[in-house]
Amino acid sequence: MRKFLFNGAIISAIFSGISLLKSLSAGPRDWRLALMAISWAASTAIAVGNVIEAANDND
């Protein structure tokens, strides 16, 4: 669990997710917001995949 919490990519994904939530609640809903949500989901999935791969390499 610690490897997920202290990874730079995961921390970046968390902060960008907070920014996305603020945009969802305050901003106008249009196609750019949908693309931003898709981009956030993809980058979060890549970050989690990289942490899992690095953990498997160390075993």
Side-chain angles (χ1 to χ4, degrees):
M1 184 68 168
R2 191 176 346 156
K3 60 186 161 238
F4 283 101
L5 294 177
F6 296 122
N7 187 301
I10 299 294
I11 292 171
S12 174
I14 290 170
F15 284 119
S16 65
I18 292 169
S19 173
L20 176 64
L21 287 175
K22 287 181 182 179
S23 296
L24 282 170
S25 65
R29 289 175 175 77
D30 59 352
W31 61 273
R32 290 174 289 192
L33 191 60
L35 286 179
M36 193 163 60
I38 292 169
S39 171
W40 173 80
S43 65
T44 302
I46 291 170
V48 169
N50 283 336
V51 171
I52 291 172
E53 184 178 329
N56 288 339
D57 288 344
N58 289 338
D59 291 339

